[in-house]
Amino acid sequence: MMFLEWLMSFDRRAVILAASAIGAGLTMIAGIGPGVGQGYAAGKGAEAVSYNPKSGKQATMIMLLGAAVAETSGILSLVIALIMLFANPLVNLQGATIIVAASAIGAGLSMIAGIGPGIGQGYAAGKGTEMVGKRPKHQSAIVRAMFLGQAVAQTTGIYAMIIALVLMFANPLIGLL
């Protein structure tokens, strides 16, 4: 309780900006997922080329496409961080300072959910790359299945972004006090 009293002794705007800076930093933790996923896809790309050097160009193309899709949760997190840093709607929001500040941190925390999609999409990219290396004649069907799996894997990253946007732009908690 003393911490909250101490925190509220600061200027309202400063508290919200500080919480937004923490939230922006937290969002970028989600970059772990795409990093792991893209590394896995690249590893599988190298493996695919070693299995079948003749399909190297095809496997590399699939690896790059799949790795690009695996980056989407990192991009969504970057968007939320940039909004918090450069177009922060919370700074001028009316309501209890502690709720507004907690919303900034919560928006950042929600984006950590992007770790899962990044890893999952990278895994799909890696397996797609591996199989194109082994069976290049089936590239079309493999890529279709890979992209469909990656799209499904991204849903939790999209849910996280929706929660972050709601906390920043349409926060239902502000009016409850």
Side-chain angles (χ1 to χ4, degrees):
M1 193 64 162
M2 289 174 49
F3 173 74
L4 290 178
E5 290 173 13
W6 173 79
L7 192 61
M8 292 305 115
S9 71
F10 291 95
D11 176 66
R12 169 187 169 74
R13 187 174 172 91
V15 171
I16 294 169
L17 287 172
S20 296
I22 292 168
L26 288 170
T27 66
M28 296 317 299
I29 293 172
I32 293 169
V36 171
Q38 290 169 331
Y40 181 80
K44 284 298 186 177
E47 191 176 307
V49 172
S50 75
Y51 286 144
N52 186 357
K54 290 180 182 177
S55 69
K57 286 184 181 180
Q58 286 174 280
T60 301
M61 182 186 70
I62 302 312
M63 184 271 298
L64 290 172
L65 287 171
V69 173
E71 183 56 43
T72 56
S73 59
I75 293 168
L76 297 179
S77 295
L78 178 62
V79 167
I80 295 300
L82 290 173
I83 289 170
M84 284 189 188
L85 295 173
F86 295 103
N88 194 330
L90 298 169
V91 174
N92 298 317
L93 192 62
Q94 297 302 312
T97 304
I98 192 70
I99 292 175
V100 176
S103 296
I105 294 170
L109 282 171
S110 73
M111 293 309 296
I112 294 173
I115 292 173
I119 292 171
Q121 290 172 323
Y123 187 78
K127 285 302 193 176
T129 301
E130 178 182 20
M131 295 318 299
V132 166
K134 288 181 179 180
R135 303 188 70 187
K137 291 179 182 173
H138 298 286
Q139 178 178 336
S140 178
I142 293 166
V143 170
R144 211 173 16 254
M146 178 187 79
F147 281 150
L148 183 59
Q150 287 182 309
V152 172
Q154 185 56 51
T155 56
T156 54
I158 293 169
Y159 299 157
M161 186 176 192
I162 290 169
I163 293 301
L165 291 170
V166 166
L167 285 170
M168 290 189 303
F169 290 99
N171 194 326
L173 305 173
I174 300 296
L176 293 179
L177 276 182

